[in-house]
Amino acid sequence: MDYSPLPPLANLIRDLKLIRHPEGGYYAETDRQEVEIPSPYADGQLRSLATSIYYLLTPDEPNGYIHMNKSVTMHVHHHGRAEYTLITPSPAGPPRITRAVIGPNVAAGEQRQLLVGTGVWKMSRLLPEDVADPDATQRAGCLITEVVVPGFHWEDHKYLTQAGLDELFAGVEGGEERVEELRKYVKVA
């Protein structure tokens, strides 16, 4: 894989003025619309019409944590690749788990955009093969823009807890294996 178009990650972090993100990786808010609207996902509370951020996963923090936003989020690819795991709860059965790779190779099934709806647990991680080469680790990251509608507010965000993960897969065939697989992506307080 050719990493030459991406500058060294330290330069990218500096140039885009990125800071550590509590979910893992780095970010910078790039826009927060001044217009506010009642959010249908936050009991009608006023929220910015939309917000956007740069978000960067790096080899030193190659995984995000499982979290949920009340608003809809569009992920737009800039560079690199990341795998997104989406967990959609279902009142009538087991949660549905889907995986998508955001990246440049559309012919191989990678996506340039990924829409994550409300009420969906999500997490992202760099692909192991992209960070396996020690020479690539200074350039092997995934940079995206996230556009959140209605705009992002921390009170509309939550992390999946270990108890929540256990509950999500309680009584589900193969649930214990899923819990074990996903446990490392649960943020410990």
Side-chain angles (χ1 to χ4, degrees):
M1 182 168 266
D2 180 13
Y3 295 99
S4 57
L6 187 67
L9 295 176
N11 293 5
L12 190 63
I13 291 166
R14 180 196 67 221
D15 295 346
L16 295 178
K17 298 176 178 55
L18 304 178
I19 60 174
R20 291 223 180 252
H21 197 297
E23 292 167 8
Y26 296 83
Y27 83 106
E29 187 172 272
T30 57
D31 183 63
R32 180 170 290 274
Q33 294 292 300
E34 291 183 20
V35 173
E36 292 186 327
I37 60 170
S39 173
Y41 310 119
D43 300 322
Q45 295 180 46
L46 291 179
R47 298 290 185 254
S48 300
L49 179 64
T51 57
S52 61
I53 64 169
Y54 283 127
Y55 181 65
L56 175 68
L57 280 174
T58 64
D60 64 325
E61 289 193 72
N63 304 317
Y65 294 106
I66 301 172
H67 62 283
M68 179 187 291
N69 295 320
K70 289 184 179 178
S71 294
V72 174
T73 305
M74 175 63 79
H75 304 75
V76 182
H77 175 262
H78 292 293
H79 182 84
R81 299 187 316 155
E83 179 186 69
Y84 279 76
T85 299
L86 308 176
I87 306 168
T88 306
S90 171
R96 182 173 40 117
I97 298 177
T98 56
R99 289 191 169 83
V101 174
I102 193 165
N105 193 348
V106 177
E110 296 175 1
Q111 298 177 227
R112 289 286 195 162
Q113 297 180 338
L114 176 64
L115 181 65
V116 178
T118 184
V120 176
W121 294 104
K122 70 174 183 173
M123 61 80 52
S124 57
R125 71 182 186 107
L126 293 178
L127 294 155
E129 60 268 27
D130 292 352
V131 295
D133 178 0
D135 294 332
T137 59
Q138 292 305 308
R139 296 180 188 271
C142 183
L143 177 65
I144 64 167
T145 287
E146 287 189 11
V147 180
V148 180
V149 180
F152 179 83
H153 289 260
W154 278 107
E155 55 269 27
D156 298 339
H157 172 279
K158 62 182 173 180
Y159 290 105
L160 185 61
T161 63
Q162 185 60 53
L165 179 63
D166 292 339
E167 182 180 324
L168 198 56
F169 290 96
V172 172
E173 184 176 332
E176 290 177 10
E177 291 83 12
R178 289 291 191 188
V179 167
E180 191 57 39
E181 169 194 349
L182 297 169
R183 178 182 320 278
K184 62 186 166 197
Y185 306 115
V186 172
K187 186 172 184 174
V188 179

